Amino acid sequence: MTHDEPVTVLRDGRLRAAGIRRGSVVAYDWGFHQDGTDHVQRTFVLLDDHMQIDQPVAFPPGQRGWWYCDLVSLEWAAPGLLRTDDRWIDVIVGPPDHPYRLLDLDDYAAALADGRLAPADAADGLTRVQRFLDQRLNRRHDTTRTWPAFPPAEIRDLGTADLPQNWSLLD
């Protein structure tokens, strides 16, 4: 049995959410109001990959169940307090018969060019994204229409786990 540790996620300095850490994954729920409806979004942080992934509840009906993956920087700001900050590169993963989409490389390049991203951090981010794609999505020479390791097995049980429902937006 894997032990769950309580954790608080500080996302992009704008959201604080209570969650749990199970092994190399942090899971947390957070909510928002859009188009007259309250939504709760479950998000997973793959600590080894530096990727934050979810199935956006606000995706259009034709893309429900697809995954949105963000490259993030991670910092344990204090024991039990994980800070995640978006690092521009995103991957959208649909069903296996669709290609995944890599987004916002231009934003990543702009952040590098204007100094918001140090060269060593940029190199680390590109390496992490390539590793994520190679380990979880790239089929190599396989002829079957499945993702090799996506969604990650580490989040399977966390998709239905009871998580704290405690979040707040920060100023």
Side-chain angles (χ1 to χ4, degrees):
M1 174 106 187
T2 304
H3 175 69
D4 293 340
E5 300 171 37
V7 67
T8 298
V9 176
L10 182 59
R11 180 179 178 152
D12 297 321
R14 297 186 327 239
L15 171 74
R16 180 183 300 272
I20 61 171
R21 178 181 181 173
R22 184 178 293 170
S24 63
V25 177
V26 169
Y28 64 97
D29 287 342
W30 58 283
F32 60 95
H33 188 82
Q34 179 178 309
D35 298 328
T37 304
D38 289 324
H39 299 278
V40 174
Q41 178 68 64
R42 179 148 302 181
T43 299
F44 307 95
V45 181
L46 306 176
L47 298 171
D48 294 339
D49 294 340
H50 283 227
M51 296 296 284
Q52 188 163 254
I53 71 172
D54 57 42
Q55 292 178 297
V57 296
F59 261 3
Q63 291 180 311
R64 297 268 160 80
W66 291 29
W67 291 87
Y68 199 91
C69 312
D70 290 300
L71 174 66
V72 292
S73 65
L74 302 176
E75 176 192 355
W76 288 100
L81 178 62
L82 177 63
R83 181 184 177 98
T84 70
D85 287 295
D86 187 304
R87 287 296 172 246
W88 302 283
I89 299 176
D90 305 316
V91 182
I92 295 179
V93 182
D97 59 343
H98 284 71
Y100 61 81
R101 290 184 54 209
L102 192 59
L103 305 172
D104 298 331
L105 291 174
D106 56 343
D107 293 335
Y108 196 78
L112 176 59
D114 68 19
R116 289 177 288 151
L117 188 58
D121 293 334
D124 180 67
L126 291 171
T127 300
R128 288 182 183 283
V129 170
Q130 187 65 56
R131 189 177 313 132
F132 176 78
L133 296 174
D134 286 345
Q135 291 177 349
R136 304 207 183 265
L137 295 169
N138 289 336
R139 293 188 181 102
R140 307 241 183 252
H141 304 291
D142 296 341
T143 58
T144 58
R145 292 278 190 188
T146 61
W147 299 124
F150 202 86
E154 304 94 318
I155 68 166
R156 197 166 292 134
D157 293 336
L158 288 170
T160 57
D162 288 328
L163 296 181
Q165 299 297 294
N166 183 8
W167 60 80
S168 60
L169 294 176
L170 306 172
D171 293 333

